[in-house]
Structure formats: structure tokens, C-alpha cells
Amino acid sequence: GESVGLHLPTLSVQEGDNSIINCAYSNSASDYFIWYKQESGKGPQFIIDIRSNMDKRQGQRVTVLLNKTVKHLSLQIAATQPGDSAVYFCAETGGSNYKLTFGKGTLLTVNP
Amino acid sequence: SAVISQKPSRDICQRGTSLTIQCQVDSQVTMMFWYRQQPGQSLTLIATANQGSEATYESGFVIDKFPISRPNLTFSTLTVSNMSPEDSSIYLCSVEQATSVYEQFFGPGTRLTVL
């Protein structure tokens, strides 16, 4: 069936480095994508989103890239900080469907 | 953004019993969602709860096991019935954000352990 998945389950970076978290999706009808951050013991927190008619969107220290040709989504975090340590999920929902389909998650660890 | 609280934050229960989880929002919302997050796993949607109608369940989830109430626009409950150890998970409620039907805000979750 259709699914949203991640290439890397864990990522360890040094403080100050840039981080890139990847996500592959298989539903070609997906038209809206979201990145969530989940810290230990908390619910997912919205980071940034992107629609399928865009290939790049920037926020504060974060950038999401969308490559519809290969159905790939990435989250770039600039100057990674210890507070960025968390599990990051990509999610998608398409059309008039309000349901979110979540990817598997990547654990980001930032070393001081 | 909406502020969402859940009760209890965690519980340890015996198999065969039931637990009701409450989700309270500080503003009126149309759509509320219940998710399950098994240990070390991603989130899976259980059901969508709209006020004034029966909840809509996803494949693999049934009302007898996970009855849901939605008495008003700020509150919902999820009951995990006749629990087994396989029900040990984090249960999360979420609500849609008023300015975007796709943006969902999540509660802190309820960590359930079934012995």
C-alpha cells in the first residue's frame, strides 16, 4: 500500500553543523507534506510544511525540499543545536483528506 | 495555536480492564483525531472524532475496542477496552488548526502500560 518512510533511522551531528533528514513517499497523489519534531515525553510539534506545487520552503533555521520526480522530501536544519535533539517525522495528507500518514521517524542526536 | 491537555499523562493497567483518556482543548475545534504510537514507532491514526456524529475509524481499529466520545467542540475521550499488553502505547489526540485544515496540533500524549 501507499506509505511514507525515512531513509535513516538515526542521525548524529556535532553542534553547529547542518543536519539533513530525508523522507521517501510512495503516494504520487500526495499534495501536502509536513515535518514534525517530537521530543521525549511530548507530542509532535509542527515545524514546517510544503505543498506539492513548491520545491523549497524556508523557515527559521529550517528548510524543506521537495523532489516530486523521485518522491523525496528532506528537512535541513542549519547550525544544529542541542535543543534540536528529537525524533523527526515527515507526514503527508492529500486532497480533501484530513488524515495524516506519518513516516517512521529519524532520531537526531546533537553532540556538544 | 490551540493548547491541548490530556489526562491521565500515564497509567499502568491490568489486562482485561479499560481506561478512558480525556483530551481537552482551550478553543473550539471541528475535528479531533486520536493516534496510537507504539514503543519506538511512528504515529498511526485510530479515528477521527467530529462533534455530533459517530467517530470514523481507520482500518484495523473498531469501535468496540476503542469507543470515542465527542460531546462538544472542546473535549473528547478515547477508551481502550479489555486491554492486553499489546495495547501498551502512547495515545495522542490532535486537533486541526483553524487557519489550515491540514495543520494539526498534538496533545502531550498518554503513556499506557498494560501488565
Side-chain angles (χ1 to χ4, degrees), chain A residues 31-105:
Chain A
D31 62 359
Y32 188 76
F33 305 88
I34 310 165
W35 281 101
Y36 281 92
K37 171 186 180 182
Q38 186 176 28
E39 297 174 282
S40 180
K42 298 183 179 180
Q45 176 186 6
F46 175 93
I47 302 174
I48 192 169
D49 59 0
I50 189 168
R51 293 192 180 276
S52 60
N53 61 353
M54 304 171 68
D55 54 19
K56 181 179 180 179
R57 191 169 186 213
Q58 288 184 294
Q60 186 175 12
R61 280 202 308 119
V62 295
T63 300
V64 56
L65 299 178
L66 175 63
N67 186 330
K68 294 181 290 293
T69 302
V70 296
K71 289 185 280 188
H72 183 267
L73 189 70
S74 69
L75 176 70
Q76 300 178 1
I77 304 173
T80 314
Q81 302 168 1
D84 294 326
S85 295
V87 177
Y88 290 81
F89 294 97
C90 61
E92 62 90 13
T93 181
S96 61
N97 189 332
Y98 300 105
K99 298 184 296 186
L100 288 177
T101 300
F102 280 79
K104 295 180 182 178

Side-chain angles (χ1 to χ4, degrees), chain A residues 31-32 34 36 38 41-46 49 51 89 93-100 102-105, chain B residues 31 33 35 37 40-45 48 58 90 92 96 100-109 111:
Chain A
D31 62 359
Y32 188 76
I34 310 165
Y36 281 92
Q38 186 176 28
K42 298 183 179 180
Q45 176 186 6
F46 175 93
D49 59 0
R51 293 192 180 276
F89 294 97
T93 181
S96 61
N97 189 332
Y98 300 105
K99 298 184 296 186
L100 288 177
F102 280 79
K104 295 180 182 178
Chain B
M31 303 186 74
F33 306 89
Y35 289 82
Q37 186 175 26
Q41 301 295 315
S42 187
L43 284 76
T44 301
L45 181 64
T48 302
E58 297 302 303
I90 299 172
L92 298 130
E96 94 284 9
S100 168
V101 296
Y102 296 116
E103 186 169 333
Q104 290 186 22
F105 290 91
F106 285 82
R111 184 178 296 272

Side-chain angles (χ1 to χ4, degrees), chain A residues 2 10 19 22 25 30 33 36-37 63 67 78-79 83 91-92 94 108:
Chain A
E2 301 288 7
T10 61
S19 302
N22 297 301
Y25 64 95
S30 297
F33 305 88
Y36 281 92
K37 171 186 180 182
T63 300
N67 186 330
E92 62 90 13
L108 174 65

